[in-house]
Amino acid sequence: MSIETLLKHVYELPSIPKVVQELIMSFSSDSESAMDISARIQTDPVIAAKVLRLANSARYGVGRHVTSIDSAVVLLGVDVLKTLVISSGVSATMSHISGLNMKQFWRDSFLIANTSKILANCAADVDAETAFTCGLLHKIGIALMYFGNKEQMQCLASALEPNEDSRQKQREIFGYECDEVAARLAKMWCFPSVIQEALLRQHEPMQAEPFSPYAAIIKLALIIHEHLDHQVSIEDTISTLKKDMVDALRLDTYGVFKGMSKLCEAEDDIDLLLAA
C-alpha cells in the first residue's frame, strides 16, 4: 500500500476536532485572550466535557469542583487548558485501532508529550505547547500504519530483533516509514510546518536544515524515557543527554531534572483521556 493510499484511510477515522486545529494554529499568536480560548472550547461539547473531567482529576485538582470552562481557565491557566484540549481531541481521533494496545500507546505518547513540555520550558526560544503537541504526535504515524496495514505491521513487530531499527524495516516493506507518515498526517490536519518538520526529523534532529528544535526535544524526551525504563536514575539520565542537542537548545539541565522529578510523581490520567 502506497503512502498516498494509506493517508486516504484518515477519512475513515473521526475528524480531529476543529477547536483543536484552531488552538494549535493560534500558538504563535499573542492576541487571543483566555476568554477567547474558553469560547472556542465551548463550541465542542464533547471536548468541553472531557476537559472538565480532567480539570477535576487528581493531577489538576485545585481543591474545589471545576464546573465550567470559564472556571477552568481561571483556576488552571491558559497553558494547562490548551494542553488538556489538545490531549482530549487528538486521543479521541485515534482511540480504537485494531492490533495496537491503545492505552499503552497513549500512555507512551503522553509521557513523551509531558517530557517534551518540560524540556521546552527549560530551553531557549521554543513554545512549550507546541513541544507538547509534537511529543503527543510522535507515534501517530505508527497508529495510522497499523490502521491501514495491520497484518504486515504485526508481522514486522514480531520479527524485529532486539534494538533493530523498525523504521528501516518499514522502508523495506512499505517504501516509507512512520515518521514520514506522521509528518504527512500533520500536514493533512493543517498543523503548523514546525510540527510537521519535527515529526519528520525526530530521529535525526541535528541533520535537519534548518535545525528543528522541536525534533531535538522529541529525541531527548525519547532518550530520557529509554533510560528511565532501564532503571537509570533521573540525575544520571540527565547527565548523559547528547551535548550537541543540549547546546543547540540552550537547555537548563537542572530545570529538566526538577521537572522530570515532578512528572515521575504525577498521577496517571490516561483513563480519563481515553474515556468517551
Side-chain angles (χ1 to χ4, degrees):
M1 180 184 296
S2 70
I3 192 169
E4 287 75 20
T5 302
L6 176 67
L7 288 166
K8 290 178 181 177
H9 283 281
V10 172
Y11 299 109
E12 300 170 25
L13 295 167
S15 298
I16 193 165
K18 183 180 179 183
V19 64
V20 176
Q21 287 186 322
E22 291 176 343
L23 199 58
I24 292 172
M25 292 299 294
S26 74
F27 281 168
S28 59
S29 171
D30 296 323
S31 61
E32 283 203 322
S33 69
M35 290 304 105
D36 289 335
I37 292 170
S38 175
R40 282 185 189 276
I41 295 169
Q42 292 178 68
T43 64
D44 190 317
V46 174
I47 290 290
K50 188 176 284 193
V51 166
L52 286 177
R53 283 201 299 272
L54 283 163
N56 285 288
S57 69
R59 181 180 298 185
Y60 300 105
V62 289
R64 55 180 288 189
H65 188 54
V66 181
T67 57
S68 70
I69 297 298
D70 286 345
S71 297
V73 172
V74 173
L75 295 170
L76 301 177
V78 169
D79 287 347
V80 171
L81 200 65
K82 285 180 178 179
T83 297
L84 295 184
V85 172
I86 295 162
S87 301
S88 303
V90 174
S91 63
T93 301
M94 290 190 179
S95 58
H96 304 288
I97 293 181
S98 179
L100 273 182
N101 179 334
M102 296 310 296
K103 182 176 284 190
Q104 189 61 53
F105 176 90
W106 285 117
R107 180 172 283 114
D108 292 344
S109 297
F110 284 114
L111 273 175
I112 298 303
N114 283 309
T115 301
S116 296
K117 187 172 183 177
I118 289 168
L119 289 163
N121 281 324
C122 299
D125 303 322
V126 290
D127 176 72
E129 305 311 320
T130 300
F132 178 91
T133 304
C134 290
L136 185 66
L137 296 173
H138 84 282
K139 292 176 65 175
I140 207 75
I142 293 175
L144 185 56
M145 289 178 76
Y146 265 91
F147 189 73
N149 302 293
K150 174 187 169 183
E151 289 78 13
Q152 287 174 292
M153 287 294 287
Q154 285 180 320
C155 289
L156 186 154
S158 62
L160 280 176
E161 299 291 337
N163 301 318
E164 189 174 8
D165 185 356
S166 62
R167 293 180 302 122
Q168 180 59 39
K169 287 291 186 182
Q170 290 166 13
R171 289 190 196 98
E172 292 172 6
I173 295 171
F174 303 110
Y176 53 86
E177 43 86 11
C178 54
D179 292 351
E180 183 181 355
V181 173
R184 293 279 296 270
L185 183 57
K187 184 176 182 178
M188 287 185 68
W189 282 345
C190 300
F191 286 1
S193 59
V194 291
I195 294 179
Q196 298 173 36
E197 184 68 11
L199 297 175
L200 183 63
R201 298 293 189 179
Q202 60 180 289
H203 286 96
E204 56 275 333
M206 302 308 294
Q207 297 177 24
E209 289 290 347
F211 171 66
S212 169
Y214 296 105
I217 284 171
I218 297 174
K219 180 67 174 179
L220 289 177
L222 290 167
I223 291 171
I224 287 171
H225 282 286
E226 182 180 3
H227 280 70
L228 295 180
D229 286 346
H230 287 87
Q231 308 303 314
V232 180
S233 70
I234 297 174
E235 185 174 11
D236 288 343
T237 295
I238 301 303
S239 69
T240 58
L241 292 180
K242 293 180 179 295
K243 187 176 186 302
D244 56 352
M245 285 186 278
V246 170
D247 290 346
L249 291 166
R250 286 179 278 166
L251 200 62
D252 170 13
T253 53
Y254 181 63
V256 177
F257 170 76
K258 291 193 295 183
M260 287 304 303
S261 298
K262 290 181 181 178
L263 178 61
C264 290
E265 296 170 359
E267 296 288 335
D268 183 0
D269 296 321
I270 194 69
D271 291 326
L272 286 174
L273 284 162
L274 295 180

